[in-house]
Amino acid sequence: MSRWCPCSSGDAFDTCCEPYLRGDASAPTAEKLMRSRFTAFAVGDADYLRASWHPATVPHELDLDSDQRWYRLDIVGVDAGGLFDDEGTVEFRAHYKHPEGAGTMSEVSRFVRVGGRWLYLDGVVSR
């Protein structure tokens, strides 16, 4: 029996974000990439996060806090980023729990399609 995907889509993990994290498929839209990146944070997959980051903006090191548990993603808005677009933005709220307390991170993320593949470019965070 499949478990629910951490990205809050309501779909099973093995048919939602897992194929992207395994490298079996590429996210077809900016929103799907955003959801898969949230899932990567939730399951601690730093390799996927780096692989889905634009090479011009990817950090040299990416250390994930193992004490921080990402548990819910709310998509607030999407602008472009569809099947026929080359760029798009996704505004989201990501909810987490940490030993120091619970919180929410809000961001408007920019995505670009490079060589037919969506990549995270950057984002503006508002907490």
Side-chain angles (χ1 to χ4, degrees), residues 1-122:
M1 183 164 159
S2 296
R3 60 185 167 135
W4 296 114
C5 192
C7 80
S8 305
S9 67
D11 295 329
F13 177 59
D14 62 352
T15 60
C16 190
C17 291
E18 187 178 34
Y20 308 137
L21 273 64
R22 281 195 322 247
D24 295 342
S26 294
T29 65
E31 180 181 348
K32 288 279 192 183
L33 182 61
M34 175 60 245
R35 288 182 176 280
S36 69
R37 287 177 55 81
F38 174 85
T39 296
F41 275 104
V43 301
D45 190 341
D47 290 340
Y48 179 78
L49 290 167
R50 290 182 55 75
S52 62
W53 214 308
H54 193 281
T57 56
V58 66
H60 294 289
E61 293 183 23
L62 182 61
D63 295 319
L64 302 180
D65 185 346
S66 61
D67 289 333
Q68 192 158 351
R69 187 175 74 80
W70 297 94
Y71 69 91
R72 189 176 100 213
L73 176 67
D74 298 326
I75 301 296
V76 176
V78 177
D79 183 26
L83 297 174
F84 302 107
D85 297 317
D86 289 326
E87 56 187 46
T89 61
V90 178
E91 182 177 359
F92 69 90
R93 279 191 297 272
H95 303 268
Y96 63 88
K97 292 181 182 174
H98 191 274
E100 296 174 9
T104 302
M105 185 194 84
S106 297
E107 180 175 310
V108 176
S109 298
R110 291 192 312 156
F111 297 89
V112 293
R113 191 190 312 256
V114 177
R117 189 168 158 251
W118 283 105
L119 296 171
Y120 171 76
L121 183 61
D122 59 18

